[in-house]
Amino acid sequence: MQQINQPLQAGYAAFQRGAFDEARRHLRPVDHVKAVHLLALVEKGAGELQEAALLFERAAKMDPQDPEIANNRATLARNTGQHVLAETEYRRALQLRPTFQQAKTGLGRLFIDTERWPDALELYRELLETNPGDVGARYGLGTALLGDGQVDAAESLFNALLAEGRNDANIYFMRGRTRLELGQIESGIEDLKIAHAAQPTNFTLRALAQTYWMSGDNTAFDTLLTESALLPELVITSADILRQSGKPRVALEALANIRQTVALPAEAWVVSAGAHIDLNEAEAAETQAKECLENYPDDRLIRGNLLTALLMQGKADEAMPYIQAMREAEPNGQHWIAYEATALRLMGSERYGQIVDLERFVRPYALPVPEGFESIDEFNAALLKALEPWHQYETHPLDQSLRDGSQTPRDLTTIDDPVIQAFYKALDIPIRQYMTDVGSGDDHPLTARNTGDYRITGAWSVKLKGGGWHVNHVHPEGWISSAYYVSVPAETASAKDRAGWIKFAEPPFETTPATPPEKWIAPSAGTLVLFPSFLWHGTEAIHDGSIRVTAPFDAVPV
C-alpha cells in the first residue's frame, strides 16, 4: 500500500499546484483505481476532456461502488453536454450514497441545464426540507422558479438572499435576469452591472450587452465590448456579439488580435466561420470550419457553419454526409432538417417536395373568438393593449430573427393576464385542427411526431416598426411554429411588394444556384398561420411609419 500512497500523494500535490505533467509522471505507472481516478481529475484540469472521460470510465469499471468516481464522471459528462450519461452517473452516486450532497446539487444543475424545471423544483425543495438554510439550494430553487415562469417567486427568493448579505455575483446576475423578465429594465441593468463588475463571465457579458443593445444604449454597449474584447476569457463572446450586431469584420479583427497570444477553442472557430458567412465569404468559412473539425470533430455548431458554407457554394453532394450524420444524431433537430431540405432542393431531388410540401404543411386558420368578446377585432384590440407594457425595449434582441422591432422578454404563457391567457386557451382548437389536417405517418419528420397532443414551449410577441422584417430562420427546438397577427398595417393587403407578408423556403444565406421563397401568405389581424418548425421562414419588410404586432409560439408533441 505504501508503494501506492507515495505516488498518489506526490501526484495529488502536483495536481494541487497545477503541475499537470508532473502529476501525470507520478500517476500513470500506477494501476490502481485511486491513481486512475486522480489522473482523470488531472486531465480534466488540464483541459484534456476526452482523455479524462476515458479515465473516469476506466475508474468506474475498476470500482463500480465508489460514489465519488460516479459523481466526478457525471460532472464531466454534464459539462460536455452528455446529459444522459450525467444523469445515470449522478443517480448511481446517490444510490451508493443517498446523502451525497454534491451529487444531488449536480443533478439539480443538470435539470437546470436541460430546462427540466419541474424536476429541478422537486429536487431543490427536497434539499431545502433537509437544510432550509442551504444557500446553494435556495439559489438553485430561484433559478428553477425563473425557468418555470414563476418570476415573482424567483425575485422574492433572490431578494431574500441579498437582504441576508449574500452579496454573491451569481445572485445579482439571476435577480437581474428576473427583473428584466418582470419589465424592470433599469434595476435589472444595475444588477447585471454589479454581477459583471464583481465576476465578469461570458454569461454576464452576453446578458449585459444584450440589454444595453435592446435598450438603445449604444455608448454603454460599445464601451463594454471594447473592454471585453481585450480579455482572452471574454474575447470569443465579445466577437460573437460584435458579429450579431452587424460588425463581422470587427469580430474577425478581435479574434485575430487575441489569437496572437493564446490558442482559442472551438467556439472561436464557430464565431470566425460565422463572420465569414455574414460577409458572404463562403470559401473562407468552409476552410475555417474544416480546420476546426480536424481538432474538434464532434462540435455541432461548426458543422452548421460548414453546411452553410457548402450550400452557399452549391456543394450539396458534399454537404449531405454531414447532414445525414446530424439527422441520425439529432433526429428532431429542426435546423438539420432545414439543411437537408435545402441540399435536396439544390440537388433537384423529388424528396425535397415531399419534405417541403408547402400546401399541405403551411396552413392559415381563423382564431376562434375567445370567450367574453363579441368579435375578433374586439379581442385583438384588448390583446394589443395587454401586450403593449411588455414591449419596453427600443430594438430587437441580438440573437433573434427580427430586425427593427422589439420582442417581449418573458414567456407570455406565464403572465397572469386574463386577455393573454384567453389567447392561449383559444389556440387549442386551431392547433388540434392542424394536427388533424397534416395527419400522422413515419415517412415525414413532422407527421412522425404527431401524437395528437401538444404543449406550448415558448410564447412571445414581436412588434415590427417601420422598415422592420424577420430574417429567414427556423426554430431548432420546436415542432409546430406559428405567427398570429394581432395588428397589421393596411399596406399588407397589397400584393404589389408583399410588405409584411410571411415567406417560406428561402434560406438565410445565398445559395448556388439561388433558392428564393416558394410561398407567401398575406397577414391579416385574427389569422393564425401554422407550419413545421424546420421550414425556413421570414418576412418582407413593412413600410416606414408602420407597426405590425404578432404573438408567435412554438409547440412540441406530448
Side-chain angles (χ1 to χ4, degrees):
M1 189 66 182
Q2 188 172 356
Q3 291 179 334
I4 297 173
N5 284 339
Q6 185 175 354
L8 276 176
Q9 291 171 358
Y12 182 75
F15 172 52
Q16 290 291 93
R17 298 196 309 272
F20 300 125
D21 286 338
E22 181 184 341
R24 291 180 179 115
R25 287 196 298 272
H26 289 297
L27 297 170
R28 279 177 175 166
V30 183
D31 187 22
H32 189 278
V33 63
K34 291 186 181 295
V36 175
H37 184 198
L38 181 53
L39 185 58
L41 294 172
V42 170
E43 297 296 354
K44 179 184 175 184
E48 298 296 335
L49 302 185
Q50 290 184 331
E51 181 65 20
L54 293 172
L55 288 165
F56 278 130
E57 182 181 9
R58 179 182 164 196
K61 290 178 179 178
M62 294 172 77
D63 187 357
Q65 301 303 310
D66 189 328
E68 297 282 352
I69 295 173
N71 178 66
N72 287 331
R73 187 184 184 197
T75 299
L76 177 64
R78 180 175 69 84
N79 292 339
T80 54
Q82 297 175 281
H83 298 142
V84 174
L85 175 61
E87 182 170 357
T88 299
E89 290 298 285
Y90 278 133
R91 292 195 183 280
R92 187 167 71 86
L94 288 169
Q95 186 176 20
L96 294 167
R97 188 190 297 170
T99 60
F100 197 171
Q101 188 79 3
Q102 275 187 307
K104 287 184 178 180
T105 301
L107 185 58
R109 289 174 178 166
L110 175 67
F111 289 152
I112 288 173
D113 291 345
T114 53
E115 299 184 357
R116 291 166 58 179
W117 307 122
D119 290 333
L121 289 170
E122 181 181 358
L123 185 144
Y124 283 116
R125 283 170 174 152
E126 178 185 321
L127 287 172
L128 289 170
E129 284 179 7
T130 306
N131 183 5
D134 186 333
V135 174
R138 291 167 70 194
Y139 172 82
L141 178 61
T143 303
L145 286 167
L146 175 59
D148 195 50
Q150 302 179 53
V151 188
D152 292 299
E155 187 194 24
S156 296
L157 200 155
F158 293 130
N159 283 341
L161 287 169
L162 291 169
E164 295 167 8
R166 316 282 186 183
N167 296 322
D168 184 90
N170 291 319
I171 299 175
Y172 275 107
F173 175 68
M174 290 307 299
R175 189 177 72 169
R177 284 186 51 199
T178 302
R179 286 178 163 178
L180 293 177
E181 290 212 10
L182 288 169
Q184 303 169 12
I185 308 301
E186 291 185 7
S187 60
I189 288 175
E190 287 305 311
D191 279 349
L192 293 180
K193 287 169 64 176
I194 292 170
H196 189 68
Q199 188 177 321
T201 67
N202 292 300
F203 296 107
T204 60
L205 171 59
R206 193 175 290 279
L208 188 55
Q210 173 91 292
T211 310
Y212 280 149
W213 169 266
M214 292 192 299
S215 300
D217 192 343
N218 295 330
T219 299
F221 177 82
D222 291 339
T223 300
L224 177 65
L225 288 181
T226 299
E227 295 172 351
S228 300
L230 300 176
L231 302 175
E233 65 272 22
L234 297 180
V235 66
I236 299 173
T237 299
S238 301
D240 192 33
I241 295 169
L242 285 166
R243 184 190 66 79
Q244 291 175 337
S245 66
K247 299 178 180 178
R249 190 68 68 190
V250 179
L252 289 172
E253 291 171 0
L255 291 173
N257 290 338
I258 206 75
R259 190 178 276 120
Q260 296 174 6
T261 57
V262 295
L264 296 178
E267 292 89 336
W269 294 90
V270 171
V271 175
S272 181
H276 283 298
I277 288 169
D278 293 344
L279 292 165
N280 208 30
E281 298 172 351
E283 291 184 10
E286 178 187 353
T287 299
Q288 296 254 303
K290 287 182 174 178
E291 287 183 14
C292 178
L293 285 173
E294 289 179 2
N295 298 307
Y296 306 97
D298 298 324
D299 191 277
R300 59 194 297 278
L301 294 178
I302 201 66
R303 284 174 178 260
N305 284 337
L306 176 59
L307 293 176
T308 298
L310 292 173
L311 296 176
M312 289 174 72
Q313 299 173 77
K315 299 179 179 180
D317 289 332
E318 186 177 344
M320 193 56 80
Y322 294 102
I323 294 170
Q324 290 172 340
M326 294 313 299
R327 289 281 287 117
E328 291 176 8
E330 301 175 20
N332 295 331
Q334 302 297 289
H335 47 321
W336 307 124
I337 305 173
Y339 281 121
E340 180 182 26
T342 301
L344 291 170
R345 183 178 178 182
L346 291 173
M347 295 165 65
S349 171
E350 292 183 2
R351 174 69 177 148
Y352 171 73
Q354 297 168 2
I355 295 177
V356 184
D357 188 340
L358 296 173
E359 296 308 308
R360 178 184 177 188
F361 295 128
V362 179
R363 292 175 176 264
Y365 297 87
L367 186 75
V369 178
E371 186 177 348
F373 295 88
E374 295 294 326
S375 67
I376 199 65
D377 290 339
E378 180 190 356
F379 171 72
N380 280 334
L383 182 57
L384 187 64
K385 184 177 180 180
L387 293 173
E388 186 59 33
W390 297 97
H391 281 287
Q392 296 188 26
Y393 289 112
E394 292 295 320
T395 192
H396 61 272
L398 287 164
D399 55 352
Q400 299 297 320
S401 66
L402 67 148
R403 299 292 182 268
D404 292 335
S406 65
Q407 180 170 312
T408 52
R410 181 175 173 180
D411 186 333
L412 296 181
T413 62
T414 68
I415 295 176
D416 187 16
D417 181 293
V419 177
I420 293 176
Q421 291 305 315
F423 170 61
Y424 293 107
K425 184 178 180 181
L427 290 172
D428 186 64
I429 292 175
I431 293 174
R432 293 190 182 280
Q433 185 61 53
Y434 180 78
M435 291 189 293
T436 299
D437 290 342
V438 300
S440 60
D442 294 336
D443 60 341
H444 192 275
L446 177 75
T447 61
R449 298 174 68 190
N450 191 351
T451 64
D453 206 355
Y454 72 95
R455 64 182 174 90
I456 292 176
T457 55
W460 61 99
S461 175
V462 170
K463 183 180 185 179
L464 290 181
K465 302 175 183 179
W469 78 101
H470 280 273
V471 175
N472 294 319
H473 63 290
V474 299
H475 296 222
E477 306 299 326
W479 174 52
I480 298 172
S481 291
S482 64
Y484 176 72
Y485 298 97
V486 183
S487 176
V488 299
E491 71 204 38
T492 59
S494 172
K496 183 177 181 181
D497 57 4
R498 300 188 176 108
W501 289 29
I502 188 170
K503 57 183 177 177
F504 295 94
E506 181 183 46
F509 45 85
E510 296 181 9
T511 60
T512 304
T515 47
E518 295 183 314
K519 185 180 182 69
W520 288 261
I521 291 181
S524 61
T527 296
L528 171 68
V529 181
L530 297 175
F531 51 90
S533 296
F534 67 77
L535 276 183
W536 298 119
H537 59 284
T539 69
E540 305 291 356
I542 60 174
H543 296 163
D544 291 341
S546 299
I547 297 291
R548 193 201 73 159
V549 178
T550 56
F553 62 87
D554 285 337
V556 296
V558 294

